[in-house]
Amino acid sequence: MEKKLSVALIGASGASGRELVLKLEESPHFSKILVFTRRMLPEWEPLLQAAEPKLQVHSVDSLDDMKTWDRTLIAGMDTCFCCVGGRSGNGDAEFYKTDYTYFVDFGEYAKAADVPHYSVVSSAGASSTSCFTYLKVKGQADEAIQKLGFPSVSIFRPGLLRNRRNDSRCGEKVAGLIPCIDKIDVTVLAEKMMIDCVNYHFSEEKVTGATIPCTLRCYLSLIHICRCRRYAVCRSRWSPYH
């Protein structure tokens, strides 16, 4: 009988996180989905009331104190997902805390519990040398988690997220109309994250690290990139991987 996977995640109430929870719930490969969250979503209620619920919700007051969380909560987990994401418009300090500190703190928490696989949502264009704060912080976080010593790290770098259910962003709606801007449906991103997790744990060929470019032109190449490339970074729309 095939092993069932256990996973944990933060950012489950955000755009990609809430879709990932549903994809994990639908997949027969998962038996436990532990969510650390500050608020309960109404859509989780039916999942929690199932005869054999996969979803478990662990309420936290803040993500600021992850260093004090009980490691036994994720002992034996197969993958930890980080789907948190802030807005640079909320100020540099708040954005850095959300998109760097939380990324790294949850990674350190997972690593201390011997979780073998860490999967995160970053951004297209992320680079620690970027002159744009948003992309620079994302790039710094990507580099930091690759140094934590996980057997495997998956970094998803999607373009503009379409059809997000958690909020409506006017700027993103306008940008979505521009043909040259990379876009991805948030449900597709969540599905690829789920598939990547299954692929890592059940594939004979284990990946030591992967940066997954989620652009319109690499959907079908995603799993191949994850398995066969150590770091496949999307540098432009017209050349989705190098």
Side-chain angles (χ1 to χ4, degrees):
M1 180 180 296
E2 187 179 78
K3 172 190 174 183
K4 300 291 185 178
L5 300 175
S6 298
V7 300
L9 67 154
I10 60 172
S13 61
S16 58
R18 65 174 56 197
E19 302 299 343
L20 179 58
V21 169
L22 297 181
K23 293 297 182 182
L24 296 170
E25 180 73 29
E26 294 170 359
S27 172
H29 298 293
F30 298 87
S31 61
K32 181 178 179 180
I33 308 162
L34 176 62
V35 170
F36 294 92
T37 185
R38 290 170 287 189
R39 64 188 180 98
M40 174 75 70
L41 296 183
E43 64 194 62
W44 294 344
E45 293 292 347
L47 306 180
L48 293 170
Q49 296 171 7
E52 297 182 2
K54 296 182 183 181
L55 182 63
Q56 297 181 15
V57 176
H58 185 81
S59 297
V60 295
D61 295 327
S62 171
L63 299 180
D64 294 344
D65 57 354
M66 274 188 272
K67 292 183 182 295
T68 67
W69 288 1
D70 183 0
R71 296 176 190 172
T72 62
L73 292 172
I74 59 171
M77 290 285 181
D78 298 290
T79 293
C80 280
F81 294 97
C82 180
C83 300
V84 296
R87 299 189 187 188
S88 55
N90 292 335
D92 289 352
E94 187 65 23
F95 178 71
Y96 186 86
K97 180 174 73 171
T98 302
D99 285 64
Y100 182 89
T101 305
Y102 290 167
F103 267 60
V104 177
D105 283 359
F106 194 53
E108 291 177 341
Y109 175 60
K111 184 65 174 65
D114 293 324
V115 176
H117 180 217
Y118 191 36
S119 181
V120 306
V121 180
S122 180
S123 172
S127 171
S128 61
T129 61
S130 176
C131 58
F132 297 101
T133 299
Y134 181 88
L135 299 177
K136 183 175 183 178
V137 172
K138 291 285 191 181
Q140 290 172 339
D142 292 353
E143 291 181 1
I145 63 175
Q146 290 175 28
K147 296 176 182 177
L148 293 179
F150 283 97
S152 179
V153 168
S154 296
I155 299 172
F156 287 78
R157 289 179 168 172
L160 184 119
L161 297 180
R162 299 187 303 183
N163 299 322
R164 51 194 306 148
R165 294 188 293 123
N166 65 317
D167 59 14
S168 179
R169 302 184 181 184
C170 182
E172 291 188 350
K173 286 186 176 181
V174 174
L177 301 176
I178 302 175
C180 62
I181 292 181
D182 286 329
K183 313 169 191 69
I184 182 172
D185 192 292
V186 69
T187 59
V188 175
L189 170 61
E191 182 180 30
K192 299 308 179 184
M193 293 182 72
M194 181 272 291
I195 291 173
D196 168 63
C197 177
V198 172
N199 181 62
Y200 168 70
H201 289 289
F202 296 134
S203 171
E204 294 181 359
E205 180 184 356
K206 300 298 185 184
V207 64
T208 56
T211 303
I212 313 299
C214 298
T215 64
L216 291 174
R217 297 190 61 199
C218 70
Y219 291 167
L220 298 180
S221 303
L222 183 63
I223 298 176
H224 173 77
I225 293 171
C226 180
R227 294 185 59 189
C228 302
R229 301 293 299 276
R230 183 171 184 185
Y231 298 116
V233 182
C234 178
R235 292 188 171 84
S236 72
R237 178 178 177 82
W238 306 116
S239 181
Y241 51 89
H242 293 202

